[in-house]
Amino acid sequence: MAESQSTNLSPIEVRNVEFHTDPQTHSPTSTLSNEPIKLDIEHAVVEDDPRIWSNTKKTAVLFIISGASMFAGLATNIQNPANAQIEQQLHASSGDISLSLSLFILIQGNFPIIWSSISEIKGRKLVYLLSIALFVIGSAIVAVSRTIGLVIGMRIVQGAGSSAVFAIGAATLADIYEPHQRGTMMGVYYSAPLLGPSLGPIFGGALTQGLSWRAVFWFLVIWGGIIFAAFLFLFKDTFRKERSVTYQNVLISRLREQQSSEAKDESRNISKSEMGGEQTTSKDIEAQRTVIPASAIKDVKLSMVDVNPFPPYLSIVSRKNNLVILVASGLTFAFSFSITYTCARTLSMYYDYDALKTGLVLLAYGIGCVAGSILGGRWSDRTLARLKAANGGVSFPEMRLESTKIAMLWSPLSVIGYAWVCQERVNVAAVCVMLFLAGFLSVWIYSSTLAYLVDANIGRSSMAVATNSSFRGLFAFVAAEIAVPLQDAIGDGGLYTLWAGLMVMVECMILLVLYKGRNWREVSIQREKQKLGAL
């Protein structure tokens, strides 16, 4: 009966299948009856199931995508220490430099929607290779640029190329790990790009001071080339079309088109038969079903024409539980982007620190983020397992958000502490402590929300994470544009007191999803099933 569990459907089954993307639904057996076949797409039977790969193989996958996500994080702000030299040598204005930074983060945040849709048709590996190749080309052209316009244009290409791993990296982990393992693995994976804001200024400062600003981008070319080779030779694709809602929906649509065409041809044949004197009742016609052999599925080739990212994107956003978490996630990332950006200015203007010293101070924030991501992810899995056991072995995604409560009281307080330590120009050791706490607590919360998005959107995890990336990019773009004017107007004290208030709002949103999200999600799933059945 394994075939009845698979979501790679024959045309006959298309009419009778009821998709179940609710993580709670598990239907291990099915019977040959007129009732809809209930499928748990998360556990559809597939060939070479990535979930049963060896731990060594899974760890290798985790290591490769973490390395890719680290250079994507580095690329965000490794340019910062070189900005003065770029401005001088390319005769650029400060506005040009700001544009190269803000457009990079905007494109990096929103382009994953495209990559995600492609990955749900063509698989993960192809997208990794294409995107990293694009990043390497963009980095190389920036390194030899003679005009600021070309730098800005190629930074956009860099942003597009570096963005794929943010979306399909988490989806890759969802491909190979069960839900109860994902919190820990998401924490490990997400710790890599979190080092970017800290290591970026250190690497950028050292390369700029020791060589030139062009060395920064040649460094990215080399790193990107190494990651490209790792994906090409060591990475095995984890995507399985049977477990992709996007793929299956497109496939069903194509099969229905074929059925419609076959039905029209059959109708013409019936008409000819009637003209020849054969009588066929309406009941006879209704009883006939267009049957396409199962082997015909192999002839249905999905192509890039079938890739339309907007319906899946809107499907994610239309779920109320997703939308609330996405806004909370976007604000959390915007805070992270803002604090590293403005802290560098504060250290330069008021502490007289150069790029290298600034990077070393910001390393405290990065270490806090990594610790919060790893420990928060482990606590998230532990909380999910505890609540599942208490609930008779049944779990639902919202349980994971319970793990964020432990950090909620302290996170806004750490942000306020940072605000006034900087405002009063206290010893830099106090700044480092507040940076560590702010990073640790905010990412503790963020890692659980990211894992929740994956768990709550079974079969479309890459699009869920891509949508999250889009919200992050938009919020970070706004934060980058308003951070400096607000810092100049009301100081670090006022700016980060405002951010503390926003973090309280983020926590309220998460609590709202914790207590209301399950009902919202189930209503949305039911609505989507009804819509699919009406097609």
Side-chain angles (χ1 to χ4, degrees), residues 13 78 105 129 148 210 218 328 338 399 413 430 466 472 507-508:
E13 293 173 312
I78 197 171
I105 195 67
L129 293 175
I148 189 61
W218 285 122
S338 176
M399 285 180 173
L413 294 178
R472 290 189 344 168
E507 293 171 356
C508 290

Side-chain angles (χ1 to χ4, degrees), residues 48 65 102 137 221 223 335 360 420 509:
D48 188 23
I65 63 172
S102 58
I137 292 170
V221 169
W223 195 326
F335 164 75
L360 291 171
W420 294 100
M509 291 179 180

Side-chain angles (χ1 to χ4, degrees), residues 75-108:
T76 304
N77 65 354
I78 197 171
Q79 174 188 324
N80 287 345
N83 285 339
Q85 200 175 103
I86 295 173
E87 190 173 338
Q88 180 183 14
Q89 292 186 11
L90 299 186
H91 309 290
S93 66
S94 58
D96 293 330
I97 299 298
S98 295
L99 194 61
S100 71
L101 296 171
S102 58
L103 285 178
F104 177 91
I105 195 67
L106 182 65
I107 297 300
Q108 190 186 60

